[in-house]
Amino acid sequence: MKLDVNNISKYFGEGSNRKKAIEGISFSISSGEFKTLVGSSGSGKSTILRIIAGLESPSKGNVKVDGKIVSGPGLDRGMVFQKYSLFPWLTASENIAFGMNLNSYKLKEIKYRTSYLLEVVGLQDSGNKYPKELSGGMQQRVAIARALATNPKILLLDEPFGALDLQIRESMQKFLYELWKKTSLTVLLITHDIEEALALSQQICILAPNPGRIIKEVKVDLQKGDLDKLKLDSDFAKLRYELSDFLRGLQKNK
Ligand code: ADP
Ligand code: MG
């Protein structure tokens, strides 16, 4: 499914407290593409994602999915948050099944899809565990499985690996990359990690804060494949250096 973000702006607050969080954000993601938004904290990344998810409405502009204006949450878009998003009183399986129950899937299908998704995210033996019994990385894999349960065509991820230790983060990056390659999902990832953005995505939009706006778009033309090898590649290192430098410059000019 294709996603179009058309000139969206968002204000929060009233009167003298009125503040523009994002301004004139436009970009598109073609069906099956992987795009990343990068920006410092407060640059409006979550606001943009929440508007695309339909959890928030834009003050100006609109978002279209396959040409249709988004007016609320929908099964066509699955969302993964940074952390603490699993229901602690439900097991991993019950968390995954949550949206299917809500949308009146048949019991047989819920069972089948839950065990299929547990397998997809490599947690076939942990279905009966509660979130607190799982590591951070495992919890995020359950969150991804839950987002995929109702078969969305667009996956929205808001700094999904930001709270994880480096090693787990790298294995989760590989997991997400493989998942994307295996499916025809359209993916929009938010991260503040430039290496993560370069390793995973085909295009990167860089945001500047106050108000949040896109100031640079980068097409990532790297030969992907093995992510470990990619990170050692000299073209990768060059791009990483350039973009990190660019982001540092933005911080200084704040
Ligand atoms: P990011 O995810 O890049 O850190 P956010 O989208 O969370 O940025 O926030 C962008 C700006 O909008 C910040 O200045 C933040 O304080 C403000 N903001 C976000 N959500 C709200 C809200 N519900 N009410 C008021 N201000 C908000
Ligand atoms: Mg955020």
Side-chain angles (χ1 to χ4, degrees), residues 12-13 19 21 39-48 56 158-159:
F12 286 111
K19 192 184 161 211
S40 60
S41 166
S43 58
K45 304 183 298 295
S46 295
T47 301
I48 295 169
E56 198 105 61
D158 192 352
E159 305 201 42

Side-chain angles (χ1 to χ4, degrees), residues 208-210 213 215 245-254:
N210 301 315
R213 61 207 187 278
I215 49 160
D245 203 44
F246 183 77
L247 281 171
R248 265 196 300 278
L250 283 181
Q251 295 287 350
K252 269 189 220 136
N253 296 332
K254 245 197 201 165

Side-chain angles (χ1 to χ4, degrees), residues 173-197:
Q173 288 169 357
K174 273 188 214 160
F175 164 74
L176 177 61
Y177 186 70
E178 294 301 324
L179 179 75
W180 171 67
K181 279 205 301 195
K182 273 196 295 228
T183 59
S184 50
L185 277 170
T186 305
V187 178
L188 180 59
L189 170 74
I190 284 179
T191 181
H192 54 244
D193 181 345
I194 203 72
E195 182 166 294
E196 184 166 290

